Amino acid sequence: MQLQEGKDKFIQTWGTLGSHWGVNRTMAQVHALLLIAPEALSADEIMEDLQISRGNANMNIRALIDWGLVYKELKQGERKEFFIAEKDMWKVFRQIIIQRKKKELEPVLRVLEEISKVEGETNQAKEFKNIIGDIHLFASKANQALDNVTQSDSNWFVNTFINMLKK
Amino acid sequence: MQLQEGKDKFIQTWGTLGSHWGVNRTMAQVHALLLIAPEALSADEIMEDLQISRGNANMNIRALIDWGLVYKELKQGERKEFFIAEKDMWKVFRQIIIQRKKKELEPVLRVLEEISKVEGETNQAKEFKNIIGDIHLFASKANQALDNVTQSDSNWFVNTFINMLKK
DNA sequence: CAAAATTTTCAGTAAGAATTGAAAGTTACA
DNA sequence: TGTAACTTTCAATTCTTACTGAAAATTTTG
């Protein structure tokens, strides 16, 4: 396989993966492109490479920066902004977990707490509170486990993985 | 809060959560509805409750059955099919991981292996192979860790969670 | 076996999400 | 301070995905 073909395939695959996980395809593709770029790219280069519009490129680059997956880089004597991806996969994973936990898991936890206070002592109500309680317990555990994972350093997590594999 | 309001809120929340995780909203809502239903529901009851068409209900119920999150239940003397959700949250989580691992993580692993074989010894090519190698290593570890999680029984996982919380 | 009940399929349509492109905004240099 | 280089915004549009509803298929029952 030629280098260019490999790069294209990677960009496609990463894009598809993203789209199955609630990340828009272009955002994942820009990320992929920057991951395999040997050096920082400008918005124009990204537009050119992925054949997307300026607006689209800009929006998705900003989103990646917000997620902490891409950094801005200013080049000596250049007025343009250049962009570079975080290449430490552990950090990438960590950032994604932090973002999604905050945006998706935590709001669900709050709703579960709220609805676990429904009135009534009928069987219906009791059963409802039961299952909501179960879900809440599970979600809290997941939340705390994820906190742990993201708060500890890379080695801790790698060690956990290694331990898991040894079992 | 009244029971009905709590139920509605739960269905909405679960639907939103699903839609951020690549599960279509209706599928997640049907799942939520069945989770909090005190007994098995027929397709008609689901249609009625969520105000969706027969076709839509059917498709999503089938998908939930495929995912192993919902079971068919036949009632004595009734011709209709009734449906009931798996309520053990651990099993639900496990099923979802198994499905998504197979459909999303494993294909990515295969692509990464394939593209790690690009020809050429230029710096460009070497750097590309390096980063792909990193990603592949990370993805394999995640894959194996998930295997471990899903293959062990509930207690093992719960214990791991508890251990995490103690740290 | 016929007909009634129920489930499945799928072409057409609707709803929602992403993208474009041009105009407005910003920055930085002479 | 003016203007050229560059970035951001957002209304209109396109693309994608989900949903409907009616027809076809299947299953059950007398």
Side-chain angles (χ1 to χ4, degrees):
Chain A
M1 186 183 302
Q2 296 302 309
L3 182 58
Q4 194 52 50
E5 191 190 345
K7 286 188 173 186
D8 292 347
K9 212 158 210 163
F10 178 65
I11 292 170
Q12 284 307 104
T13 304
W14 213 240
T16 306
L17 183 65
S19 71
H20 284 124
W21 284 91
V23 174
N24 95 17
R25 226 190 57 217
T26 304
M27 182 169 158
Q29 287 183 337
V30 173
H31 184 228
L33 177 62
L34 291 174
L35 270 177
I36 58 179
E39 54 188 71
L41 300 179
S42 68
D44 289 279
E45 289 168 310
I46 294 169
M47 287 164 59
E48 166 68 18
D49 232 311
L50 301 179
Q51 292 291 303
I52 58 176
S53 72
R54 184 169 299 286
N56 195 9
N58 184 268
M59 300 271 232
N60 285 298
I61 292 167
R62 293 306 131 194
L64 285 165
I65 292 174
D66 285 349
W67 279 51
L69 300 176
V70 164
Y71 310 115
K72 202 182 281 194
E73 202 175 77
L74 296 170
K75 281 196 190 171
Q76 184 57 282
E78 284 263 24
R79 205 148 142 192
K80 272 188 226 171
E81 295 176 331
F82 290 79
F83 306 97
I84 194 162
E86 172 58 61
K87 297 197 179 180
D88 176 337
M89 280 300 122
W90 161 252
K91 283 194 192 162
V92 169
F93 183 66
R94 208 165 172 280
Q95 286 301 329
I96 293 172
I97 288 185
I98 291 171
Q99 294 294 327
R100 307 204 71 174
K101 198 173 91 67
K102 192 165 64 192
K103 287 207 207 85
E104 289 142 32
L105 186 53
E106 288 170 12
V108 169
L109 278 173
R110 269 179 253 122
V111 172
L112 289 170
E113 272 151 34
E114 202 189 335
I115 63 186
S116 65
K117 295 182 212 137
V118 296
E119 297 157 35
E121 289 301 323
T122 58
N123 273 351
Q124 280 258 339
K126 280 186 199 160
E127 272 198 57
F128 176 74
K129 285 188 229 175
N130 258 337
I131 180 78
I132 294 297
D134 282 358
I135 295 169
H136 184 252
L137 182 63
F138 190 84
S140 315
K141 278 185 185 168
N143 192 43
Q144 289 176 276
L146 291 176
D147 272 346
N148 251 292
V149 167
T150 54
Q151 278 162 18
S152 2
D153 67 14
S154 158
N155 282 341
W156 177 85
F157 190 64
V158 170
N159 287 339
T160 308
F161 262 137
I162 290 166
N163 285 338
M164 277 174 155
L165 302 185
K166 281 187 188 152
K167 291 216 175 182
Chain B
M1 186 183 303
Q2 295 303 309
L3 181 58
Q4 194 52 50
E5 191 189 345
K7 287 187 173 185
D8 291 348
K9 212 158 211 163
F10 177 64
I11 291 170
Q12 284 312 335
T13 304
W14 212 240
T16 305
L17 183 66
S19 72
H20 285 124
W21 285 90
V23 175
N24 94 18
R25 225 190 59 216
T26 306
M27 182 170 160
Q29 287 183 338
V30 173
H31 183 228
L33 177 62
L34 290 174
L35 269 177
I36 58 179
E39 55 189 69
L41 301 179
S42 67
D44 288 279
E45 288 167 312
I46 294 169
M47 288 163 60
E48 165 69 18
D49 232 310
L50 302 179
Q51 292 291 304
I52 59 176
S53 72
R54 184 170 299 284
N56 196 9
N58 184 268
M59 301 270 234
N60 285 298
I61 291 167
R62 294 306 132 194
L64 285 164
I65 292 174
D66 285 348
W67 280 50
L69 300 177
V70 164
Y71 310 116
K72 202 182 280 193
E73 202 175 77
L74 295 170
K75 282 195 189 170
Q76 183 57 281
E78 284 263 26
R79 207 151 140 188
K80 272 188 227 174
E81 295 177 330
F82 291 80
F83 306 97
I84 195 162
E86 172 57 62
K87 298 199 179 179
D88 176 338
M89 279 301 122
W90 160 252
K91 283 194 191 161
V92 169
F93 183 66
R94 208 164 172 280
Q95 286 301 329
I96 293 172
I97 288 185
I98 291 171
Q99 293 294 327
R100 306 205 71 173
K101 198 173 90 66
K102 191 165 63 193
K103 287 206 208 85
E104 289 143 31
L105 185 53
E106 288 170 11
V108 170
L109 278 174
R110 269 179 255 122
V111 173
L112 289 171
E113 273 151 34
E114 200 189 335
I115 64 186
S116 64
K117 295 181 212 138
V118 296
E119 297 158 35
E121 289 302 322
T122 59
N123 272 352
Q124 279 258 340
K126 280 187 199 159
E127 273 199 56
F128 176 75
K129 286 187 228 175
N130 257 339
I131 181 79
I132 296 297
D134 283 358
I135 296 170
H136 184 251
L137 182 64
F138 190 84
S140 315
K141 277 186 187 168
N143 192 42
Q144 288 175 277
L146 291 176
D147 272 346
N148 251 293
V149 167
T150 54
Q151 277 161 19
S152 5
D153 66 14
S154 158
N155 283 340
W156 177 84
F157 190 65
V158 169
N159 286 341
T160 307
F161 263 138
I162 290 166
N163 286 338
M164 279 175 155
L165 303 185
K166 281 186 188 153
K167 292 215 176 181

